[in-house]
């Protein structure tokens, strides 16, 4: 009889299992009586929803973070946000390095997939840079917000500044500003405060542009011609996705506001759907076009190898470039004097199909089961699959099955649709033979 042989896990399976393990561990901690303010045992499904939302840096909640969870519960949530934002693999590798252990080639490959690095070489150095930069930026954000929160909350303002800085940098959207009289208020009380608005927006954008883009900026400073093509695409697409929606929100949505407050509200509403989840305006008061634009921004999300989720800016950019190539009858899509291979275009089209399918299917199912308007349900599912956290207020009142759908969407949105498929189909070998080709008309 042969001895038991441990099954070999692929990189994608390892990433998924580690994310699931952290979520389960966080759920059990949040069920402890002293994790809640009233020392009650939080039901498993509520703890699981909260832990999933934190690890997947989403921000959708079924219990108000400030009023339901104790200091211990909030600390657990913040730890889960930090692990989820940096990536489970990155955190695990960092612990191994601090313990003096060597990182194997297989572990380096897993780290490469986790932070979307182009090659294995230099991955340990890059991971160290990511950790140092992340903690310094989170500290800077906390110090910027500290005077405002200490003014309003006294000594508790220190915890508030640290919590919101990490939550913003990790694009999580959890906040501690609710009260028994007003739950789920997010940052609406600070809509006119430039310090809180600008700091939160800066942390969201920096966290969402991706670790490799940071590395480019660190190495090349303002010499943009030396940047990787991907960094150029990310920075230009990010700027476009902030500027254009901000113009719409300024002229089309916030006519009741004036001066600097209107500018801040428009900019914040343009930045936050990029998987951040904070809000300074009443989302239910937005027009249908405003909510639709927010859904589109939530689905696109941030950039690869970042703390953000969504389809990613590069996916949208590649599909747009491919459309331009088709219109111009060019053989390949191109950016900044470089061509994009067809495999990348196929991957981008597949990701778009996956996200749209999951987003629409989840919305249809929740609408049918809960008897709620489809448009509102699609807003919640876009927020979940894009790991955003913005809500029209439906999530806390949904049934168990509907909340389960949102949990699944948050998990898929964070680990990535392709990662999940590659993990499930890892046992299927590649087929090198080709079938006969025949033309089919599209369009």
């Amino acid at each position: 009889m042969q001895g038991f042989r441990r099954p070999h896990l692929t990189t994608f399976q390892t990433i998924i299992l580690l994310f699931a393990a952290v979520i389960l561990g966080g759920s059990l901690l949040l069920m402890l009586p002293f994790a809640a303010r009233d020392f009650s045992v939080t039901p498993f499904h509520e703890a699981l929803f909260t832990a999933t939302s934190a690890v997947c840096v989403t921000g959708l909640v079924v219990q108000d973070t400030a009023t339901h969870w104790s200091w211990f519960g909030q600390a657990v949530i913040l730890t889960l946000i930090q692990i989820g934002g940096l990536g489970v693999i990155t955190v695990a590798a960092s612990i191994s390095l601090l313990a003096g252990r060597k990182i194997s080639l297989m572990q380096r490959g897993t780290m490469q997939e986790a932070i979307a690095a182009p090659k294995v070489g230099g991955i340990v150095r890059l991971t160290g840079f990511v950790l140092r930069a992340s903690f310094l930026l989170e500290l800077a954000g906390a110090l910027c917000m500290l005077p405002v929160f200490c003014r309003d909350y006294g000594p508790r303002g220190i915890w508030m500044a640290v919590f919101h800085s990490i939550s913003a940098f990790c694009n999580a959207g959890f906040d501690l500003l609710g009260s028994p009289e007003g739950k789920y208020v997010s940052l609406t009380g600070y809509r006119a405060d430039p310090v809180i608005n600008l700091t939160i927006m800066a942390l969201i954008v920096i966290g969402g542009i991706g670790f490799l883009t940071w590395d480019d900026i660190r190495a090349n400073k303002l010499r943009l011609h030396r940047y990787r093509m991907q960094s150029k695409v990310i920075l230009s697409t990010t700027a476009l996705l902030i500027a254009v929606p901000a113009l719409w929100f300024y002229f089309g949505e916030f006519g009741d506001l004036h001066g600097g407050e209107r500018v801040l509200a428009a900019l914040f509403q343009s930045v936050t759907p990029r998987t951040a989840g904070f809000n300074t305006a009443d989302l239910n008061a937005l027009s249908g076009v405003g909510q639709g634009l927010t859904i589109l921004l939530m689905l696109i999300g941030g950039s690869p190898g970042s703390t953000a989720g969504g389809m990613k800016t590069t996916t949208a950019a590649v599909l747009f470039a491919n459309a331009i190539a088709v219109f111009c009858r060019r053989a390949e899509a191109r950016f900044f004097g470089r061509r994009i291979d067809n495999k990348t275009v196929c991957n981008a089209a597949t990701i778009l199909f996956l996200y749209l399918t999951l987003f629409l299917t989840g919305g249809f199912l929740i609408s049918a089961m809960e008897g709620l308007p489809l448009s509102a349900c699609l807003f919640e599912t876009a927020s979940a699959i894009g790991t955003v956290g913005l809500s029209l207020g439906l999530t806390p009142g949904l049934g168990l099955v509907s909340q389960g759908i949102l949990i699944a969407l948050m998990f898929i949105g964070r680990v990535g649709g392709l990662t999940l498929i590659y993990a499930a189909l890892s046992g299927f070998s590649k087929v090198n033979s080709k079938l006969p080709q025949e033309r089919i008309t599209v369009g």
Side-chain angles (χ1 to χ4, degrees), residues 83-255:
I83 293 172
L86 294 177
V88 176
I89 304 297
T90 303
V91 173
S94 304
I95 294 173
S96 296
L97 289 171
L98 290 173
R101 298 177 183 173
K102 291 185 177 181
I103 306 297
S104 68
L105 185 60
M106 186 180 73
Q107 290 171 323
R108 290 169 190 259
T110 305
M111 292 164 64
Q112 178 194 5
E113 291 292 342
I115 64 175
K119 58 183 179 180
V120 175
I123 195 68
V124 174
R125 179 200 62 79
L126 180 60
T127 300
F129 165 71
V130 167
L131 290 172
R132 290 192 302 272
S134 298
F135 294 141
L136 285 174
L137 287 165
E138 289 169 349
L139 177 61
L143 291 175
C144 288
M145 293 186 285
L146 190 63
V148 177
F149 283 129
C150 284
R151 177 197 69 196
D152 296 341
Y153 294 94
R156 183 170 172 253
I158 300 173
W159 174 241
M160 302 278 285
V162 171
F163 190 99
H164 289 93
S165 180
I166 295 175
S167 182
F169 176 78
C170 292
N171 280 225
F174 281 81
D175 70 89
L176 300 179
L177 298 172
S179 66
E181 297 77 29
K183 297 181 179 180
Y184 314 112
V185 296
S186 193
L187 297 175
T188 51
Y190 289 94
R191 183 173 61 189
D193 190 300
V195 173
I196 298 298
N197 275 261
L198 295 175
T199 303
I200 293 289
M201 282 190 286
L203 290 169
I204 291 169
V205 173
I206 293 170
I209 61 176
F211 305 138
L212 289 176
T213 308
W214 301 356
D215 194 43
D216 248 350
I217 294 172
R218 178 193 64 82
N220 299 305
K221 305 299 187 293
L222 296 177
R223 297 187 292 270
L224 299 179
H225 63 282
R226 294 189 179 182
Y227 283 24
R228 301 180 185 93
M229 181 191 68
Q230 175 168 302
S231 298
K232 295 178 183 178
V233 171
I234 286 172
L235 292 173
S236 56
T237 305
T238 297
L240 188 67
L241 290 175
I242 291 174
V244 175
L247 290 173
W248 166 260
F249 287 122
Y250 182 86
F251 291 107
E253 297 293 340
F254 300 124

Side-chain angles (χ1 to χ4, degrees), residues 56-57 85 169-171 204 207-210 274-276 301-310 312 386-387 413-414:
C56 298
V57 288
F169 176 78
C170 292
N171 280 225
I204 291 169
I209 61 176
R274 310 291 307 291
T275 86
S303 301
S306 71
T307 62
K312 305 294 188 291
T387 70
R414 183 54 182 149

